[in-house]
Amino acid sequence: MSNTVEIRWHGRGGQGAKTAALLLADVAFKMDKHVQGFPEYGPERMGAPITAFNRISDSQIRVHSNIYNPDYVVVVDETLLHTVDVTKGLKDTGAILINTENTADDLMPYLNGYKGKVYTINAREVCMKTLGKYFPNTPMLAAIVKISGIIEQEAFLREMENSLSHKFAKKPEVLDGNMKALKMAFKEVR
Amino acid sequence: MSTKNRMSGNEALGEAIRQINPDVMPAFPITPSTEVPQFVSNMIANGQVDTEFIPVESEHSAMSAAMGSEAAGARTITATSSCGLALMWEVLYVAASSRLPLAMCVVNRGLTGPLNINAEHSDSMGARDSGWLQIYAENNQEVYDNMLMAYRIAEHKDVRLPIMICQDGFITSHAVENIMLEDDEPIRKFVGTYEPEHYLLNADEPMAMGPYANSPFCMEAKRAQVQGMMNAKQVILDVAKEYAKISGREYGLYEGYRLGDAEYVLVCIGSACGTIKDAVDRMRESGVKAGLLKVRVFRPFPGEEFAKALENAKAVAVMDRAESYTGHGGPLGAELMAAMYRNKNKAEAINVIYGLSGRDLTVEMVCGLYDQLADIAVNGTKGREYQYLGLRE
């Protein structure tokens, strides 16, 4: 169990937090990891707070409970900071990643005295500059890969290019935009 | 050859169904099993299977159409959950007593009241006396493997009963995990073609299906039906052995995890067994002889085998993800304890209700239960015979 990295995603229904968790599971699987990616289903609807989870490990994962003491938390929508206790159970040795225009210092009052590392990224800006549309899960995925170090960055980009070029074979502009978003997110996360 | 992949439990069902390529699928969508007919519909549209899909107006119709096509001689599949299964109720019994070996993917979800979409076994446990075979899965791998073995068991001439392939809604049905998939060729050979001995579309043998039978015949028909259920135990083991030759994964009626020398044993069904295995390892590290008996086959009920496997235990907790409203315990608790009594087991035994409507079960909660069993082994059950785990005070 000790080699298992646990990640909790907070987003709003429709923003793709669940998709991001499944994408991360996918990429990690391709790096020969054992993975779990699963959402918690509540009263699912557009805009409602949702939670999704990842376990990534070098050995078989058997546990089937939710994650209460994650190594990392990803907040896809910063308005959730006002209503959800996003740092609950988060390990001080881990980190939280927040999609925001603000700095980490600005957000500290909402983090319940969290002592671990706080990372921010302006995913909207990354999206608008690279995709022209707001799909925050692409930059958030790159940012958590960088912060957690669970996958080597170059290998991650190679794998994403592979799967996206397959998925968007007829829309090369979507592939380019997404690859730019991933690379820009690597630089922009702070 | 086995190939590494990753997918959800429902996707695993889709993959197994693609390889089986059943003749007919009548289905009506209901969460969390909706993806199953959805995947099959996609595969039909893509020409990957030549299954005839029948969109029906309700689950009662789904089961009726499934019965009809199976009786006609076609290998038939359907899928459902929760209230969908409840609406099939009447026809479940008819399918079983007509000895129709159709298969149904049950993605377990609580029956309504209050309305809830999450994992619970009340749907299939409610149907436990309908005469269907029931096999449960811990993870997506077992969902896939169980589905591939389903028809070989159900269609066996000594069995001839319908089969439910059960998995926990959302917990495995919608969770992406690693899985090993088998090649199409050996699987198709293993599953084989359905060659019914008697069927309605056989012009050379006109027959009645589901006729009226009054008291001179009914009891004998039911006894014969039970015989099929009893025979299924050996057939399940034989089919598992044959499947293991292809996959390398062998299955029994139950799985014992660190059970041999275990003093404190949990007996459980479904996805929670994975969580319990982690708890067993943790307890063992601190010197507590913890173990798990994972129930894989619930119908037929291998009570004798379970009770014998529990002979060395000092204290046993039987875990039920369904309430029977008897004020006395859940369905697995009732049946297993009856079997332990018949086998003259010496262990103290309690019945624990957990995970209703998707309430989470954690490793820590399970460890607490093992601590309790250690105390019960010394001090007796003392009012703890029937209890709720994870209930908010």
Side-chain angles (χ1 to χ4, degrees):
Chain A
M1 278 300 287
S2 55
N3 66 7
T4 303
V5 174
E6 296 186 315
I7 301 171
R8 187 173 67 208
W9 297 76
H10 293 283
R12 291 189 181 274
Q15 283 177 333
K18 175 197 157 189
T19 308
L22 296 186
L23 271 172
L24 182 61
D26 227 40
V27 185
F29 164 78
K30 287 176 179 158
M31 299 291 121
D32 229 20
K33 301 277 187 187
H34 287 264
V35 298
Q36 268 184 352
F38 58 102
E40 182 178 46
Y41 281 88
E44 198 99 338
R45 57 191 184 273
M46 292 279 266
I50 68 134
T51 317
F53 304 95
N54 279 124
R55 284 190 180 91
I56 295 166
S57 177
D58 291 325
S59 47
Q60 194 199 349
I61 304 166
R62 300 179 301 198
V63 66
H64 277 127
S65 63
N66 289 344
I67 292 167
Y68 298 93
N69 297 109
D71 298 286
Y72 301 97
V73 163
V74 185
V75 182
V76 183
D77 184 324
E78 75 174 309
T79 64
L80 289 169
L81 296 177
H82 304 282
T83 51
V84 178
D85 184 1
V86 293
T87 55
K88 192 174 183 186
L90 175 60
K91 289 177 189 162
D92 285 340
T93 50
I96 184 167
L97 166 69
I98 305 164
N99 173 15
T100 177
E101 296 173 358
N102 298 308
T103 65
D105 285 343
D106 294 336
L107 299 176
M108 284 317 284
Y110 304 103
L111 301 181
N112 286 332
Y114 178 62
K115 291 187 184 62
K117 291 190 184 115
V118 180
Y119 293 94
T120 62
I121 182 169
N122 187 344
R124 182 180 293 278
E125 192 183 56
V126 173
C127 286
M128 295 319 283
K129 281 188 177 163
T130 55
L131 297 163
K133 285 177 194 158
Y134 185 43
F135 292 122
N137 61 23
T138 310
M140 297 310 278
L141 184 62
I144 190 64
V145 162
K146 182 179 179 186
I147 291 165
S148 64
I150 40 176
I151 307 166
E152 198 259 317
Q153 290 182 32
E154 282 306 309
F156 167 74
L157 288 177
R158 262 199 315 277
E159 203 41 69
M160 287 301 289
E161 186 154 18
N162 269 339
S163 68
L164 289 172
S165 59
H166 187 71
K167 203 170 170 185
F168 299 110
K170 287 177 186 149
K171 294 182 187 170
E173 72 283 2
V174 180
L175 168 68
D176 289 350
N178 273 290
M179 292 312 295
K180 278 184 192 148
L182 293 170
K183 287 173 192 163
M184 188 174 168
F186 275 154
K187 292 201 189 97
E188 289 296 314
V189 61
R190 55 195 87 225
Chain B
M1 208 186 82
S2 308
T3 313
K4 274 191 207 171
N5 210 317
R6 75 298 182 198
M7 58 181 61
S8 69
N10 278 347
E11 287 171 324
L13 279 174
E15 184 59 15
I17 294 169
R18 182 189 65 73
Q19 294 181 309
I20 294 167
N21 191 10
D23 299 316
V24 181
M25 179 176 210
F28 191 85
I30 181 167
T31 300
S33 64
T34 302
E35 288 178 337
V36 181
Q38 183 191 327
F39 294 154
V40 176
S41 301
N42 280 342
M43 293 186 297
I44 293 168
N46 294 337
Q48 293 168 286
V49 293
D50 53 15
T51 306
E52 181 77 29
F53 189 86
I54 311 178
V56 285
E57 73 280 21
S58 77
E59 285 87 352
H60 189 281
S61 300
M63 187 43 64
S64 301
M67 241 198 87
S69 74
E70 187 72 41
R75 191 179 262 163
T76 305
I77 192 159
T78 187
T80 198
S81 296
S82 182
C83 301
L85 183 57
L87 189 52
M88 291 177 176
W89 225 257
E90 174 192 1
V91 197
L92 290 179
Y93 286 72
V94 189
S97 63
S98 302
R99 309 299 296 271
L100 296 172
L102 61 105
M104 173 154 60
C105 311
V106 177
V107 183
N108 285 110
R109 159 186 159 185
L111 287 171
T112 291
L115 177 60
N116 184 289
I117 60 166
N118 288 301
E120 193 181 296
H121 297 152
S122 54
D123 48 3
S124 60
M125 280 296 160
R128 68 189 181 274
D129 295 343
S130 64
W132 283 59
L133 303 155
Q134 289 189 346
I135 302 187
Y136 290 81
E138 175 188 326
N139 50 37
N140 58 355
Q141 183 72 64
E142 294 186 8
V143 170
Y144 173 74
D145 294 337
N146 292 347
M147 189 67 237
L148 290 178
M149 288 186 272
Y151 285 106
R152 287 293 307 278
I153 300 163
E155 292 168 1
H156 193 282
K157 63 175 174 43
D158 297 337
V159 179
R160 283 188 184 137
L161 288 170
I163 187 165
M164 293 185 195
I165 298 301
C166 306
Q167 67 166 318
D168 288 349
F170 293 110
I171 301 174
T172 63
S173 72
H174 284 64
V176 169
E177 296 183 310
N178 296 50
I179 188 170
M180 299 300 285
L181 300 176
E182 303 308 317
D183 287 349
D184 289 355
E185 195 46 39
I187 289 303
R188 294 209 164 127
K189 223 180 203 172
F190 167 79
V191 174
T193 321
Y194 180 40
E195 278 157 13
E197 199 179 327
H198 308 284
Y199 54 100
L200 284 177
L201 289 184
N202 182 0
D204 298 330
E205 188 195 25
M207 61 188 277
M209 186 62 71
Y212 178 72
N214 48 19
S215 43
F217 301 104
C218 255
M219 207 152 155
E220 285 70 23
K222 285 172 199 263
R223 178 60 185 83
Q225 200 181 323
V226 176
Q227 193 59 45
M229 195 54 96
M230 288 158 131
N231 296 345
K233 267 203 275 191
Q234 190 55 47
V235 172
I236 288 167
L237 292 173
D238 293 344
V239 171
K241 211 167 264 173
E242 204 183 314
Y243 182 70
K245 282 186 199 150
I246 302 170
S247 67
R249 295 180 296 278
E250 194 155 347
Y251 294 100
L253 301 170
Y254 67 90
E255 179 195 338
Y257 184 72
R258 304 186 87 161
L259 183 60
D261 67 338
E263 294 177 347
Y264 315 112
V265 180
L266 260 60
V267 182
C268 191
I269 298 175
S271 63
C273 293
T275 307
I276 295 172
K277 285 174 182 174
D278 275 11
V280 166
D281 287 355
R282 198 182 286 186
M283 297 310 289
R284 289 271 177 171
E285 274 167 29
S286 54
V288 179
K289 286 189 173 173
L292 163 72
L293 190 158
K294 176 174 93 186
V295 174
R296 183 172 168 264
V297 177
F298 186 76
R299 283 291 181 268
F301 189 73
E304 205 182 321
E305 288 83 352
F306 295 166
K308 284 207 184 326
L310 295 169
E311 275 174 354
N312 295 331
K314 289 182 179 165
V316 174
V318 190
M319 310 286 286
D320 264 299
R321 197 168 206 144
E323 179 52 272
S324 280
Y325 304 105
T326 57
H328 181 79
L332 180 60
E335 298 198 16
L336 182 61
M337 286 193 211
M340 288 169 74
Y341 182 81
R342 210 182 277 177
N343 191 55
K344 299 189 169 42
N345 283 52
K346 299 210 168 47
E348 294 280 4
I350 62 169
N351 193 185
V352 177
I353 308 287
Y354 78 101
L356 298 186
S357 308
R359 177 64 54 87
D360 207 6
L361 182 79
T362 64
V363 171
E364 289 72 23
M365 287 159 79
V366 178
C367 288
L369 199 50
Y370 278 115
D371 286 337
Q372 203 188 123
L373 285 183
D375 181 66
I376 284 172
V378 177
N379 298 315
T381 52
K382 290 193 179 148
R384 293 177 282 190
E385 297 83 0
Y386 162 48
Q387 55 173 281
Y388 271 62
L389 183 61
L391 187 71
R392 284 187 292 119
E393 295 299 326

